[in-house]
Amino acid sequence: MAISIEASEIEQSIKAGKAWLVRPGTGGVDWSRQHGKKIIAISYENIDLNQFFDKNGEYLDSKSKENFRKAIDKEIPADTIFKKGAAGRKTAISEHLINYHSFVKIQKGDLIFAKGPKKILGIGRVTSDYIYDGNQSEYYHTYMVDWSDHEKIP
């Protein structure tokens, strides 16, 4: 059953930094599956973020940041072609670092805005800690979410 999220809760969550915009796949392509499974998930690389971050999204120790960068560097093949060559690869690695670091900061009770190409597909409340599932074909990085009735988004 869909939960109810009032406009005032959305406003408070945004002001408190407890609201997150997440794409369920490029252009929202995985929205139907994620909505049905009551999750929000991102793909990126098959790396367990629990190796590098605590439950608050902070690095575990002084070496975690460098080890995380190395893990991402290893997952993005050196021969991957980017629009800007080597600079494009460095940019891609930096973007992955930022996106992952943001994703692991999500907490139970935070609001998720599932973003499609032109609109918000759904709003939900996070009900779990970060979950890594390396057995998926993609979308390894997940949170459980109670979705609101997305047809009635305030």
Side-chain angles (χ1 to χ4, degrees):
M1 176 169 208
I3 62 166
S4 176
I5 299 175
E6 301 298 323
S8 60
E9 181 183 355
I10 292 171
E11 186 177 341
Q12 289 171 349
S13 293
I14 291 170
K15 285 180 180 178
K18 296 292 188 179
W20 304 89
L21 188 65
V22 181
R23 287 185 183 92
T26 304
V29 69
D30 199 42
W31 168 243
S32 293
R33 184 186 74 85
Q34 291 189 28
H35 180 261
K37 291 185 83 170
K38 297 180 76 170
I39 63 170
I40 191 69
I42 61 172
S43 57
Y44 289 115
E45 279 65 47
N46 190 351
I47 299 171
D48 182 357
L49 302 180
N50 290 311
Q51 297 176 58
F52 309 102
F53 299 101
D54 65 19
K55 291 185 188 235
N56 296 316
E58 301 302 323
Y59 287 104
L60 293 172
D61 57 42
S62 60
K63 294 183 179 182
S64 293
K65 186 173 185 177
E66 183 57 31
N67 290 339
F68 182 48
R69 180 178 288 281
K70 287 177 183 176
I72 290 176
D73 187 54
K74 182 180 173 184
E75 287 290 317
I76 299 175
D79 60 352
T80 301
I81 298 173
F82 292 93
K83 290 181 182 176
K84 296 182 181 178
R89 185 172 191 281
K90 287 180 185 176
T91 300
I93 290 170
S94 294
E95 287 174 356
H96 280 66
L97 287 168
I98 292 166
N99 290 336
Y100 277 132
H101 198 192
S102 294
F103 194 73
V104 296
K105 289 186 176 198
I106 295 171
Q107 300 287 309
K108 288 181 190 174
D110 288 359
L111 295 184
I112 297 292
F113 293 79
K115 184 181 184 314
K118 295 184 180 180
K119 67 177 187 171
I120 299 297
L121 302 168
I123 302 173
R125 189 175 298 111
V126 176
T127 61
S128 74
D129 291 328
Y130 163 79
I131 302 164
Y132 166 75
D133 185 354
N135 294 320
Q136 297 292 320
S137 60
E138 59 181 327
Y139 304 106
Y140 312 106
H141 312 285
T142 304
Y143 289 93
M144 300 301 297
V145 177
D146 280 339
W147 293 107
S148 68
D149 183 351
H150 63 284
E151 300 299 322
K152 299 178 183 175
I153 293 175

